[in-house]
Each structure stands twice: as structure tokens, then as C-alpha cells.
Amino acid sequence: MNVISHIALFLLSMSIMIGQSSLKQVKSGTMYEFIGKKKNVKIKIDAFLMSDHAVTNGEFRNFIRQNPQWKKSRVSRLLADRNYLQHWTSDSTFPAHMEHATITNVSWHSAKAYCAWKGGMLPTNAQWEFALSKNHISIQTGKKISINEVLLKWYANGNSDIFKHGIISSDGIRDLVGSHWEWTEDFNELMVNGDSRGGGNQESNFVCGSASLNSNDASNYARFIRIAFRTSIKASTTTKNLGFRICHPKMEIAQ
Amino acid sequence: MKSYFTSILLSLLVLISCSQEHKHEGKKEDSCCKNETTHSKEKSTDDQGSFYDISGLTYTNHLGKAQSLSDMKGKYVFVSMIFTQCKYACPKIAENIQALESALNKPFQVVLISFDPKRDNPQTMSAFLNEKKAGKNWTVMTSTDDIIRKSSMLFDISFKELENGDFSHENVIIVLDKQGREIKRIEGLNINVQQEATEILDLLGKEA
């Protein structure tokens, strides 16, 4: 019985744990920088851990119980707008059927506080987009699906058949899109690009024509829509379909 | 062999305690595009919240001292976000605040939060203030990346670190009353100082 075999066993069991718990490893890779002046430059994304599901009402209630400053009756309006947790019937209750449903009506600040409480963080824009760029299959049929195609349907129609049973990525991440939007750590970073010497607005970088010219994938219209949405909200904003999931940038933090 | 068995047993126990089934009942209710944000709802002044009540944000200032937003309680404050290596926009923001100060002729505290903890320290921040001949009522302070991110979200001032270590950022001056409520947000670099000062005095008059 040597030390190495113990370590090997431990690592094996840890990898099984990661496989079983809600945290999945998003394997490293490269992705085109979506908006930028350099064409065809791929950025490297390191492996990270991401929850396979968005945080649920039940999970968020545990957070509220231990962090009462985030109760809707107590939170500062600077950290969450007046619709924060509006679907909850009180500071700590919501309709029972929502227990496992994705928590929405949460602000960036509250999502961030939840993640910090769990020892993690929100995924960055790059991490989130990278996780979405992996191959996805329909959970119902097991068939590969085109995220872009399905997203455009979702954007247009609301409910798309493919999302009734959800989707899962090759990394095991479920329902990144299809039922709700998700907060990202640096969602407001996209607002500015290049040297900003004028006023507060850099939207010309993102609106239609000018954005397409600087984008590495002008056909990825769905991603433009996500950027448009992210730039339209503030960190205190809450909406009835904006949730979040937790992420750990490095493997070792996850234990 | 026995210890192998123990290891496996232990792993199994950990495994069982860690596996959670997350049912996805998934209320797939809304389309993404039917978002309803509620920017339009006017908030009453009492409802808007005080920056001085926000806890958990601590900074180190140009004197090397710890500082937080609650230290400004009871004062009128100009807040902006800058970095001291900034060649163009940030010096202009400082000039604009100085012009507002002299137009207002009221005691204001000036708080500049630096985006740049890698390069900004008490020395560079003090040098920035000296160069601007700023008064004793001025503070430059910085913090961890995480707190700077939170500050930028709180004050709604977007930024992005560039490859060369500089930052692109929105140019914003926020005016807070003595209760820490935002009474005015001045965006851009080419501001009409007289007009802004008149409006600020008007808003402060209402408050008093």
C-alpha cells in the first residue's frame, strides 16, 4: 500500500464526485473573441467548474435564511430593484411547485453574493459563452442540436419544442439557454470597447452594422441579441426570466 | 488490501452525500424577448437607497488608510471612477469636478475609485492628487478586483481592462447628498459646468 495508490484512488473518487455532484468540468479549449478589432483571433479558455443547473428557488431560500440582509424586505434598492423576488409570497416562502425551478427576479448583486456564500463566482461572459459553444444534444431525443438555430426560434416564439425536455452540453451543463437568461460576472464589461473618450455611450460598437464589422462571426445573430440584452440591464435589475448559475474558476476550490 | 477497501468505502460515502438529484421541472415560461424590466417606474427618493449603507466594500486610499463608503456619512460627495495612469479622460474628470466645486462653493467630499489595483498604490494616488493640486477633501482609493467590479456595478460605471493594462471606461460623475442618495449623474467629459452647478444647487435646496 503506497502513498501514490492512495492519491490515485483519492483523485479517482474526486473525479467521480465531480461527475455526480452538480458541478461539471467545462473542458478547456479555444473560442473566437466575438467582438474586437482583431479578426480571427482565438482566445484560450482554461477549464473551470460550472453547475449543471441554474440556482433554484429552494437553493436561494437557503441562502436567504443564512444571509437575512438579502431578504426582499431588507435589501437596499441600490442592490436590487423593487421587483426583487417578487414571485415569492414572503421573505422566505414561494409556491411549493417552484422549489426546483430556476430562481429569477434576482439582481446581479444578489447572484454574486449567493456565489460568494458558496465559495464560487458567476461565470465570466467568456466562460459562459464558451460553455454554450460546446456541442449540445436534446435530452429527449439524444440528437445533436444547433444552438444557434434553436436560439433564434426561442427568441422569436418563446417556447420551442426542443426545450420542453431541455438540452445538455458535452460537458454535462444543462439548459444554458431555452428557459431563462443568466447573469455573468462581467456582464457590463461589454459596454465599452476601445478607448472611451466621449460620453457614456459606446453602443455603436454593438449596434447592427458597426458591430458586425468588428465581429468575428457576424452570422452569430443570437449572440448579438444576448449582448443587446446584457447592455440593457443594470446590476440592480431583476426580471422574471433572469437567473444565474455558480461557477468555480479553479478545480481545487471546488472541494 | 484492507486500506484500499477503506479508501473506496470512504469515497462511496462522500459520493452518496454529494450526489444530489436536481429535478428539472423547468418552468419554461417566457420567451427571452418578453423581458419586462422596470426602469420606467419612478422611485420615490425615500426608496432609492443610500450608498453610505452599502457594506462590504473596503478600499485603501492615497494615504494608505482603509476607507469605506459609510465614512462619507453626512457629507455631500462627488464620486467617480478613474485610474491615475489615464492620460486624457481621468484628468479631465478631475478638472470638471474642480470646476463644479468652485461653481458650487459648498463643502463637497471628492471620492475617486481607481480601476487599477495593479498599478495604483498610495504613492501613485497621492501623486495624482498633487499634480491636480487637489484639496484635502479629495480621496483616491482602490481595492481588490472583486470590489472594484462590485463598485462599478453599484455606481453603474462600466469598464474594461485593455491588453496594455489601461482601462476603457465610462466617464461619469455621481453627486450624492448627505444621506448618500444619488441626486445627479453627470455623463461625458464636455459638461456645462454652470448649468450642472445650478441644477445641483436646486436639487440640494429641495433636499434641505
Side-chain angles (χ1 to χ4, degrees), chain A residues 16-32:
Chain A
I16 294 169
M17 268 176 60
I18 289 166
Q20 288 293 312
S21 85
S22 69
L23 285 175
K24 307 289 181 197
Q25 187 187 171
V26 177
K27 293 179 191 70
S28 65
T30 57
M31 177 176 72
Y32 280 115

Side-chain angles (χ1 to χ4, degrees), chain A residues 1 5-6 9 13 16-17 20-22 38 53 59 76-79 81-83 97-98 100-101 108-109 112 154-155 157-159 163-164 166 174-175 178-179 181 185-189 191-200 202 229 232-235 237-241, chain B residues 1 3-4 7-8 11 14-15 18-39 41-44 47-51 54 88-89 146 149-150 152-154 156-163 167-172 180 187-189:
Chain A
M1 188 88 269
S5 55
H6 268 296
L9 257 180
S13 57
I16 294 169
M17 268 176 60
Q20 288 293 312
S21 85
S22 69
K38 291 178 194 157
H53 66 286
E59 290 169 323
S76 166
R77 278 291 154 267
L78 295 172
L79 301 178
D81 70 21
R82 63 170 71 228
N83 291 326
H97 70 274
M98 292 183 142
H100 299 289
W108 180 89
H109 292 286
K112 178 107 172 118
W154 178 45
Y155 292 167
N157 307 331
N159 295 329
F163 289 118
K164 277 190 184 143
R174 281 183 279 169
D175 300 322
S179 58
W181 294 90
E185 172 78 14
D186 50 352
F187 83 92
N188 75 343
E189 186 183 58
M191 285 286 287
V192 288
N193 197 34
D195 194 6
S196 68
R197 298 189 166 186
Q202 274 79 33
F229 176 59
S232 72
I233 52 179
K234 291 173 26 170
T237 301
T238 67
T239 84
K240 65 180 178 184
N241 44 27
Chain B
M1 205 55 219
S3 55
Y4 262 122
S7 292
I8 292 169
S11 312
V14 177
L15 220 165
C18 286
S19 63
Q20 290 167 287
E21 261 309 303
H22 287 285
K23 273 190 255 164
H24 259 241
E25 291 163 16
K27 272 196 71 194
K28 319 258 173 186
E29 37 172 19
D30 309 291
S31 144
C32 60
C33 303
K34 288 173 191 157
N35 275 295
E36 287 167 21
T37 56
T38 48
H39 294 304
K41 275 185 193 169
E42 272 301 313
K43 287 173 188 170
S44 73
D47 194 20
Q48 77 179 60
S50 166
F51 285 92
I54 303 297
Y88 177 80
D146 194 57
R149 166 85 52 209
K150 282 182 184 162
S152 93
M153 294 289 180
L154 182 66
D156 198 16
I157 302 177
S158 303
F159 73 101
K160 180 177 179 123
E161 186 168 0
L162 305 174
E163 274 171 29
F167 295 82
S168 61
H169 57 89
E170 291 180 303
N171 303 307
V172 181
E187 299 192 352
L189 291 177

Side-chain angles (χ1 to χ4, degrees), chain A residues 167-187:
Chain A
I167 56 166
I168 188 164
S169 80
S170 54
D171 294 314
I173 309 292
R174 281 183 279 169
D175 300 322
L176 271 170
V177 292
S179 58
H180 58 270
W181 294 90
E182 294 185 7
W183 283 111
T184 53
E185 172 78 14
D186 50 352
F187 83 92

Side-chain angles (χ1 to χ4, degrees), chain A residues 100-164:
Chain A
H100 299 289
T102 298
I103 180 84
T104 58
N105 292 315
V106 285
S107 65
W108 180 89
H109 292 286
S110 59
K112 178 107 172 118
Y114 177 96
C115 293
W117 173 67
K118 282 279 187 184
M121 57 196 299
L122 291 166
T124 63
N125 285 318
Q127 286 172 329
W128 195 94
E129 293 287 342
F130 179 62
L132 185 67
S133 75
K134 299 294 184 81
N135 288 333
H136 281 74
I137 57 167
S138 153
I139 290 172
Q140 184 192 22
T141 65
K143 285 192 182 136
K144 197 186 169 201
I145 55 156
S146 153
I147 284 286
N148 229 17
E149 214 170 278
V150 173
L151 267 177
L152 291 180
K153 266 189 202 161
W154 178 45
Y155 292 167
N157 307 331
N159 295 329
S160 161
D161 284 348
I162 198 94
F163 289 118
K164 277 190 184 143

